Every structure is written in structure tokens, then in C-alpha cells.
Amino acid sequence: MATAIVTGGSKGFGRAVVAALVDDGWDVVTDARDAGALTATAAALGPRVHPVPGDVEDPAHRAALVAAGRALGDVRLLLNNASALGPSPLPRLRDLDPSELARLHATNVVAPLALVQLVLPLLGRTGAIVNVTSDAAVEPYEGWGGYGSTKAALEQLSNVLAAEEPGVRVWWLDPGDMRTDMHQAAFPGEDISDRAQPDDVAPAVRALLAQRPPSGRVRAADLLAEVGR
Ligand SMILES: NC(=O)c1ccc[n+]([C@@H]2O[C@H](COP(=O)([O-])OP(=O)(O)OC[C@H]3O[C@@H](n4cnc5c(N)ncnc54)[C@H](OP(=O)(O)O)[C@@H]3O)[C@@H](O)[C@H]2O)c1
């Protein structure tokens, strides 16, 4: 099978996607800043998971991540999942520290594009790029202006990339609300137990790769409905 590079695979949605891809026979190179958590996840998910600890904001780390994929060979998928939420509780735009906004864009927009630039030459005709977005990219939720603006930027970047690179599929995937550390940070102290488990959303990526729809914005809920989940 082929190799996938998935950022932020130690927990949450990234971990669930890594597990689903491994089940389907992929080798998966993945990262996270917390090396201990990443190593533990890789050990739990088996030898097809290749952990490369580091921060996607770091160019040397990005090069190492992609080099690990190249060493395995046949890189067919880049899934930009790692993201920052910003301050918790979420501040209104009038209170958002501009340096926090710049940092959010570095993690959620600049790093994914830098990885796309490194991976594009490796992707064959069946290659794909998945950029994980959010409904906060398009909805005016109060407090979500910083994070939401990064996801809006990621969506338009994906949109233009799809036009410029017709030889690869580029999808920007809205996973919907999930019960993760990031979601809890967005709703501090609130009960989020009604949100979907990441393991129940990850099959949307499997459906996406199987269906290979044209490049564009996709919602996990729609993909899951199509496969009867
Ligand atoms: N949860 C939701 O309800 C929801 C809804 C819509 C969209 N999303 C999107 O879904 C994706 C996954 O979110 P999640 O809820 O699963 O988040 P999460 O539970 O916070 O997990 C994020 C993962 O990314 C890693 N990560 C974060 N910053 C990183 C960095 N700078 N460099 C390398 N790795 C980094 C984290 O590990 P370390 O902290 O150790 O680095 C962790 O493995 C994100 O793109 C998010 O915007 C989530």
C-alpha cells in the first residue's frame, strides 16, 4: 500500500484518521509536539505508524516529516490536520492579541501550505491533499474570528490550489463537532459528551479516498451519510 503523511496524529481526529488509514493498509508518517504522547499512540496503533515528533511551524521539522514519507516511498496523501485554536476561552475580535492571530495563521495556514509545497512533487496522479477545515470558516460564531479566519484562509488556499493543480485531488474537509481536547478548550467547563467521537468521524476520510470526488469542500456528515453511517 502507499504512504500517507498526517499531521497531528497523537490524539483527537488525527489519531482516529491514522488508525483508519493503518487499518486500510497505509503506512502513515505523523507528528505532534508532545513526543511522549505521539510515541505512545504509534506504539498502540502498530508498526505502520511512523512518528516524527515536532512542530509543523518549524521548517526543519516539516522537512524531516516529508523525508520520512519519501524514505517509505509512494507518498499518495497529505492530510493537514494539526491546528491551533488560540486562547481559551475564545476572545472576541476586539480583545484578540494580534500576535496570537499571527501565531494561529502560522500554524493553521502557513504550515499546511509549506507542507503542500514539499509533498506536491512526490504525489503521483492518484495523489491527494486533505486540508481539515471547520464550519467556523464560514459561520460568524462570536469568539471564533481568529481560528475561523485561519480556516477561511485555508479553504481559499485549497480552492486556488485545486485550480492550479488539476493533476491531484485537493479536498477541504469539515469534520463537524467532535469530542476532543480542542473542542473542550473552545467550550471550557461545558459538557461536550453529546459531540461525535473522532473514531466515528474518521471513516469519512476512508469514504473520501474511496469515492475520489472532484476537488472541493466536503463535509464529513455528507460523506458518512453516503456510506450509511
Ligand atoms: N474537534 C472539533 O470539534 C473540530 C471541529 C471542526 C474542525 N476541527 C479540526 O479538526 C482537526 C483536529 O482537531 P482536534 O479536535 O482533533 O484537535 P486536538 O484534539 O487538539 O488534536 C490536535 C493534534 O494536532 C497536534 N498539533 C497541534 N498543534 C501542532 C503543531 N503546531 N505541530 C504539530 N502537531 C500539532 C496535537 O498534538 P500536540 O499538541 O502534542 O502538538 C494533536 O495531535 C483540526 O484541524 C481542527 O481545526 C475540529
Side-chain angles (χ1 to χ4, degrees), residues 82-172:
S83 278
L85 177 71
S88 170
L90 294 170
R92 300 171 75 85
L93 283 173
R94 65 165 61 194
D95 300 319
L96 177 60
D97 183 333
S99 66
E100 293 277 10
L101 180 64
R103 181 84 195 278
L104 275 175
H105 279 263
T107 307
N108 297 0
V109 184
V110 177
L113 177 61
L115 281 168
V116 165
Q117 292 170 345
L118 292 175
V119 169
L120 262 180
L122 307 180
L123 293 177
R125 293 199 64 77
T126 57
I129 292 165
V130 179
N131 290 325
V132 180
T133 183
S134 166
D135 58 345
V138 292
E139 299 292 345
Y141 301 135
E142 291 172 32
W144 291 80
Y147 170 88
S149 73
T150 70
K151 293 299 188 179
L154 183 66
E155 292 208 4
Q156 180 60 355
L157 187 149
S158 306
N159 203 3
V160 173
L161 184 69
E164 292 176 347
E165 306 290 344
V168 291
R169 291 289 199 279
V170 182
W171 298 298
W172 42 116

Side-chain angles (χ1 to χ4, degrees), residues 12-13 85 90 134-135 141-142 144 174-202 220-221 224:
F13 185 56
L85 177 71
L90 294 170
S134 166
D135 58 345
Y141 301 135
E142 291 172 32
W144 291 80
D174 174 4
D177 288 355
M178 294 175 292
R179 210 179 308 171
T180 67
D181 288 352
M182 178 187 284
H183 198 85
Q184 187 68 74
F187 298 96
E190 291 187 32
D191 179 6
I192 61 163
S193 61
D194 61 337
R195 274 46 158 209
Q197 289 284 14
D199 283 337
D200 294 330
V201 180
L224 293 170

Side-chain angles (χ1 to χ4, degrees), residues 3-7 28-31 50-56 58-80 111-123 129:
T3 299
I5 298 173
V6 177
T7 63
V28 185
V29 177
T30 189
D31 70 357
H50 307 269
V52 181
D55 188 329
V56 291
D58 174 8
H61 166 66
R62 293 194 296 258
L65 193 66
V66 175
R70 192 188 296 111
L72 288 164
D74 202 14
V75 176
R76 301 245 199 94
L77 173 66
L78 168 65
L79 195 141
N80 277 311
L113 177 61
L115 281 168
V116 165
Q117 292 170 345
L118 292 175
V119 169
L120 262 180
L122 307 180
L123 293 177
I129 292 165

